[in-house]
Amino acid sequence: MSATARKSAPLPDDIRAMKGRAPIVSLTAYTTPMARMMDAQCDFVLVGDSVGMVLHGLPSTLGVTMEMMILHGQAVARGLSRAMMVIDMPFGSYEESPTLAFRNAARLLRETGAGAVKLEGGRHMAETIAFLVARGVPVMAHIGLTPQSVNTLGGYKVQGRGTAAEALLADARAVSDAGAFSVVLEKVPSALADRITAKIPIPTIGIGAGAGCDGQILVVDDMLGLFTAFKPKFVKRYATLGADGEAAIASYAAEVRAGTFPAPEHGFAEEAPN
Ligand code: KIV
């Protein structure tokens, strides 16, 4: 399936122009109903590769494929009429060479209608970012904790503490100079995120990076409280859908076992009413 870009969606340049003017609001989405729910509130919606862990039960994002991203990207696109859609490039689809990255980024944009791709990495991805941008692919960068590198980072740790701060600032400058229109800062000390935000001309989008970033993003299932057993420190739960869902399913099970559901009003009469 090929999708065409939605006419009213903001462009990457509109998101870039929000720096210093208005906080940028974003969430992840993986399905049409979730995308519909957030379309009016978000400046951009990210089809994150977190879909692998959140919806498919994978242990990390490493098992996410292009096909999964395209399927979820198409679903999210159907739920958006206003917010820009950004889509993650999955592990293995861009690191090898700028040409491989272009081939896969072009496929993601063409087949989902996304307005931009996101990829993980700082200085070492600058050449690829410049290559994509020069060929018409808007890129959102992602530095700090980059979950696709969980095996080399040694876990989901805070990044940029102590002497690592300068390296992270250099990463931010490199992706900005390469032409990225914004950069996600994940799990970075708040003071360092503030410094980076002040020093680069593109918006920083924080997740676990404090209030000083130009925008914020959260995984929607986290902020809706869909997971009952797991809550990262940087997540605020705005709802308790997981606990509410468990209670609702328990009520349903009890009523089916007690014979009280379905009630007469949930059934159909033999004769259709006039
Ligand atoms: O995949 C994802 O959900 C992300 C966000 C956490 C920024 O990359």
Side-chain angles (χ1 to χ4, degrees):
M1 181 193 120
S2 96
T4 46
R6 288 163 293 112
K7 287 194 179 67
S8 58
L11 299 169
D13 275 353
D14 300 322
I15 300 292
R16 191 203 315 250
M18 290 177 76
K19 186 175 177 90
R21 299 218 171 104
I24 299 165
V25 178
S26 59
L27 286 169
T28 65
Y30 319 109
T31 64
T32 307
M34 280 289 191
R36 273 196 192 120
M37 226 188 274
M38 64 184 70
D39 185 38
Q41 299 296 336
C42 287
D43 298 302
F44 75 86
V45 168
L46 173 69
V47 187
D49 63 350
S50 50
V51 67
M53 299 172 80
V54 173
L55 283 200
H56 294 269
L58 294 175
S60 74
T61 56
L62 300 181
V64 175
T65 63
M66 283 287 292
E67 285 64 35
M68 285 163 76
M69 294 309 300
I70 288 168
L71 201 62
H72 288 285
Q74 290 171 343
V76 169
R78 286 180 209 115
L80 299 181
S81 61
R82 192 203 143 267
M84 185 176 83
M85 184 169 113
V86 179
I87 190 162
D88 259 340
M89 299 199 71
F91 180 64
S93 71
Y94 61 96
E95 302 88 333
E96 190 181 321
S97 68
T99 41
L100 177 73
F102 179 76
R103 204 170 309 131
N104 283 318
R107 191 170 164 218
L108 287 171
L109 297 192
R110 189 172 57 239
E111 295 188 29
T112 69
V117 298
K118 177 167 81 59
L119 57 80
E120 297 183 4
R123 282 158 291 171
H124 67 287
M125 290 312 302
E127 184 194 348
T128 296
I129 293 171
F131 189 90
L132 293 180
V133 173
R135 285 157 183 79
V137 179
V139 178
M140 177 177 286
H142 182 159
I143 62 172
L145 173 61
T146 46
Q148 293 174 9
S149 302
V150 61
N151 292 328
T152 47
L153 293 177
Y156 296 96
K157 299 174 188 159
V158 175
Q159 302 293 310
R161 282 192 168 135
T163 53
E166 293 313 310
L168 204 61
L169 180 55
D171 282 337
R173 283 198 166 115
V175 298
S176 173
D177 291 349
F181 72 92
S182 62
V183 57
V184 169
L185 303 181
E186 180 164 355
K187 254 187 148 176
V188 169
S190 305
L192 175 59
D194 293 353
R195 244 179 96 205
I196 292 173
T197 301
K199 285 195 188 286
I200 60 172
I202 58 171
T204 54
I205 311 295
I207 173 163
C213 293
D214 297 301
Q216 297 292 330
I217 187 162
L218 284 175
V219 169
V220 68
D221 295 55
D222 285 343
M223 58 84 73
L224 291 178
L226 271 156
F227 297 118
T228 48
F230 167 73
K231 186 181 96 56
K233 176 173 157 57
F234 55 81
V235 169
K236 176 173 173 183
R237 280 188 182 150
Y238 288 82
T240 52
L241 297 196
D244 294 350
E246 278 175 17
I249 291 165
S251 298
Y252 163 75
E255 289 188 10
V256 170
R257 291 193 176 106
T260 55
F261 177 82
E265 68 266 28
H266 301 122
F268 298 96
E270 227 167 314
E271 300 280 316
N274 290 327

